[in-house]
């Protein structure tokens, strides 16, 4: 029987003539809507193939996971690392069934471990030897269940996955019977690990402390460990461990690098061995407790059905009518990908929410989230979360404020600790949006202002001495690198810090967000101060050309600066006035004439320099709405939708970046978009569907 739920019905057609949808439209009426089976359209393999031959593809992995699950579970076809992910659809072999916390292709993993079945009793622990061939014809991938048959011409081993927020059940079926083995890899060639085989309890447990945050920060947390417990349905018989891929038969303990354990069983033909898996960032004991809490006595099928219901419930938050099959697949897969991050980073200990904080290396009570890709996701992904998961926004923003209390700043790209990846302090935008939409408890407003004020006013010592773009160098956490010059000059001069033009423009937007938090806390003087400072973006728009440009210390326009932009160029940044589009129009009209704004912006499409595959241009199509040409918004947004997304393994242009690319599709295909996400206003575009019900 299909459940019914009350959803907000938003009919876009009546609003197409408007330039802005006020926030209040979302509270107008509710209707009872029948729940649909929407998870059938989700294909986690969309975006999983690297047809470009480099890292500039979607970078998506066929996860089995709960919304914002603490641990994601996936088949593995290669060893993941910074700039490479664990599964590429074009690969030919499965090398493991992987528990991972890598949030994006450009970020690192931590707390991982791997499990791999092997035919026979000859143990092959290295990734180059243990792989088994597979075909996509023998693969089923959904958010709640994954299955693949490997080595079909020989042993035909089937592997299956289902999951909860912190746990999983794996099943391995051995059709030929006889001797068969299961390998558990606790650590690869980095960090340290420990793994133990407990024969009496049919369990393998352990931890590793490999976390690639060390590549992004000079002060990585000392006590961050990923713990696991794996409980087997069949009594452990033959066993052993390995270190540096050197196998020791009958051993029950191992550690170090390239380490793990193996179990060998006598299996009947077609016998299934089930593994119940718990993960934790607190202890091995808590990993076991998580299995008890989240799986208990449930069968594989019950856990899978529960997860399917969770996904269907959330996907039904937005129902679309009039979509083709491919459009349904793209839309609901995008909703899936936009519902994975930030990840939950807390567990329930004796009934109390508890988390380990990498910021002070301590354990605290409360809820915590990590893997916020804020430079990407503040634009559209976070607004998607406020629409579909409003009940979680307070705890997500509270997590950023806890990070501030424990480490001194809100993070910009936690993984799970501070990194200097990307620029700006866009947690300011996330905080301001939560306040603007009434989703942050008012008791936290003062702490929120304290946190965003520090972002806006306190620069790091010696800021001109660091090459902040080299985030793998031993440099301190930057917050707003170049803030001292920005405060003094109203812009960041060339060669003071890298990406100076982009930083100036993004700091100006963040200042607007800080102003909104000041206003919410009754600080009218500070509100006016930051509102005025948010106009600093004009200080890097060259009146001679009308385009963004660098300046020297004396204020002279100078395009010869080194590395002035972040993942873009002058054209990709000139219209970065999310908070003041009318001010940009007026400035361009004054210096270059009234046709300049529209004529030059349209060249992004006619001359082909629009970069939909990266975030700085994501709002460009909607900027015509402010200048009297909504027809151009409709034309070019629709054009971008049709060219940049597809229902296949390629899936989308550019890295998905923790749901931002997917969220852009969701908003734009519905027909509106949060150009200035912290404002609570949405610009009208070109809806692709007959009806959208929220």
């Amino acid at each position: 029987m299909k459940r019914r739920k009350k959803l907000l019905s938003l009919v876009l057609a009546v609003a197409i003539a408007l330039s802005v949808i006020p926030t209040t439209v979302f509270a107008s009426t509710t209707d009872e809507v029948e729940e649909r089976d929407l998870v059938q359209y989700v294909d986690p393999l969309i975006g999983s193939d690297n047809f470009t031959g480099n890292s500039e593809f979607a970078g998506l992995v066929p996860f089995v996971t709960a919304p914002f699950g603490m641990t994601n579970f996936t088949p593995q076809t290669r060893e993941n690392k910074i700039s490479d992910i664990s599964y590429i659809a074009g690969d030919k072999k499965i090398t493991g069934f992987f528990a991972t916390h890598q949030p994006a292709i450009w970020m690192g993993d931590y707390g991982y471990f791997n499990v791999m079945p092997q035919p026979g009793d000859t143990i092959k622990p290295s990734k180059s030897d243990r792989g088994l061939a597979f075909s996509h014809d023998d693969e089923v991938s959904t958010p709640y269940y994954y299955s693949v048959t490997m080595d079909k011409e020989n042993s035909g081993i089937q592997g299956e996955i289902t999951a909860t927020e912190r746990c999983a059940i794996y099943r391995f079926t051995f059709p030929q019977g006889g001797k068969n083995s299961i390998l558990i890899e606790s650590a690869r060639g980095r960090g340290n690990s420990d793994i133990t085989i407990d024969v009496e309890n049919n369990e393998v447990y352990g931890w590793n402390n490999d976390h690639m945050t060390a590549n992004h920060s000079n002060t990585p947390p000392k006590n961050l460990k990923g713990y696991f417990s794996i409980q087997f349905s069949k009594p452990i018989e033959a066993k052993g461990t390995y270190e540096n891929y050197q196998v020791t038969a009958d051993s029950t303990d191992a550690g170090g690098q390239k380490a793990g354990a193996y179990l060998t069983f006598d299996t009947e033909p077609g016998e299934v061995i089930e593994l119940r898996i718990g993960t934790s960032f607190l202890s091995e004991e808590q990993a076991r407790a998580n299995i008890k809490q989240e799986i208990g006595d449930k069968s594989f099928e019950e856990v899978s059905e529960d997860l399917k219901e969770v996904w269907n419930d959330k996907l039904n938050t937005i129902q679309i009518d009039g979509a083709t099959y491919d459009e349904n697949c793209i839309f609901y897969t995008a909703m899936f990908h936009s519902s994975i991050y930030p990840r939950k980073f807390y567990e329930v200990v004796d009934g109390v929410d508890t988390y380990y904080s990498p910021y002070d290396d301590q354990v605290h009570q409360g809820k915590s989230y990590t893997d916020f890709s804020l430079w990407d996701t503040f634009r559209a992904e976070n607004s998607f979360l406020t629409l579909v998961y409003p009940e979680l926004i307070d705890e997500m923003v509270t997590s950023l404020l806890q990070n501030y209390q424990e480490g001194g700043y809100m993070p910009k790209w936690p993984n799970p600790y501070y990194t200097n990846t990307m620029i700006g302090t866009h947690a300011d935008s996330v905080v301001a949006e939560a306040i603007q939409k009434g989703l942050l408890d008012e008791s936290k407003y003062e702490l929120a202002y304290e946190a965003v004020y520090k972002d806006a006013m306190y620069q790091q010592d010696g800021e001109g001495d660091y090459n902040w773009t080299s985030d793998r160098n031993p440099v301190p956490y930057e917050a707003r690198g170049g803030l001292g010059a920005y405060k003094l000059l109203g812009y960041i001069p060339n060669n003071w810090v890298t990406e100076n033009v982009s930083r100036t423009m993004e700091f100006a937007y963040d200042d607007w967000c800080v102003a909104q938090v000041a206003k919410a806390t009754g600080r009218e003087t500070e509100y006016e101060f930051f509102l005025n400072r948010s106009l600093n973006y004009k200080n890097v728009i060259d009146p001679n050309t009308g385009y963004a440009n660098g300046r020297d210390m004396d204020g002279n326009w100078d395009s010869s600066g080194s590395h002035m932009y972040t993942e873009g160029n002058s054209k990709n940044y000139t219209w970065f006035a999310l908070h003041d589009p009318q001010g940009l129009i007026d400035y361009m009209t004054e210096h270059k004439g009234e046709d300049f704004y529209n004529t030059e912006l349209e060249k992004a499409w006619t001359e082909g320099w629009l970069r939909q595959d990266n975030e700085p241009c994501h709002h460009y199509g909607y900027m015509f709405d402010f200048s009297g040409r909504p027809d151009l918004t409709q034309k070019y947004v629709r054009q971008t939708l049709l060219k940049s997304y597809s229902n296949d393994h390629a899936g989308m242009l550019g890295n998905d970046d923790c749901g931002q690319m997917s969220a852009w599709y969701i908003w734009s295909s519905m027909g509106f978009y949060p150009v200035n996400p912290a404002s609570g206003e949405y610009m009208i575009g070109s809806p692709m569907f007959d009806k959208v019900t929220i």
Side-chain angles (χ1 to χ4, degrees), residues 228-285:
F228 61 88
S229 167
I230 305 175
Q231 301 169 1
F232 291 79
S233 63
K234 187 177 178 67
I236 294 173
E237 300 165 11
K239 62 190 178 301
T241 62
Y242 63 91
E243 296 179 12
N244 291 315
Y245 294 150
Q246 298 300 307
V247 173
T248 302
D250 209 37
S251 168
T252 58
D253 293 281
Q257 299 182 6
K258 299 179 181 178
Y262 68 89
L263 310 175
T264 299
F265 302 93
D266 284 313
T267 59
E268 297 295 327
E271 184 171 355
V272 177
I273 298 179
E274 185 176 279
L275 289 66
R276 295 187 169 223
I277 297 170
T279 70
S280 175
F281 288 99
L282 299 175
S283 66
E284 291 155 349
E285 181 181 18

Side-chain angles (χ1 to χ4, degrees), residues 146-199:
Y146 176 86
S147 172
V148 65
T149 300
M150 303 165 286
D151 197 29
K152 195 172 182 180
E153 294 183 359
N154 299 300
S155 61
I157 296 174
Q158 182 187 24
E160 299 171 278
I161 305 171
T162 191
T164 65
E165 288 184 342
R166 300 164 186 85
C167 303
I169 303 180
Y170 291 176
R171 290 197 303 204
F172 298 120
T173 303
F174 300 95
Q176 293 188 342
K179 297 284 187 184
N180 287 287
S181 303
I182 297 176
L183 184 80
I184 303 98
E185 181 180 71
S186 58
R188 303 179 305 202
R190 298 179 297 272
N192 201 359
S193 72
D194 183 78
I195 191 167
T196 300
I197 302 172
D198 182 348
V199 176

Side-chain angles (χ1 to χ4, degrees), residues 21 28 64 76 82 92 100 138 202 231 239 257 260 304 306 337 356 442 447 455 473 504 510 581 604 682:
I21 304 177
S28 57
V64 177
Q76 185 186 46
I82 294 173
K92 304 301 182 184
T100 177
D138 301 312
N202 296 320
Q231 301 169 1
K239 62 190 178 301
Q257 299 182 6
S304 179
D306 285 350
H337 286 137
Y356 162 78
E442 286 190 35
L447 178 61
D455 282 343
N473 288 342
T504 298
D510 289 335
Y682 297 84

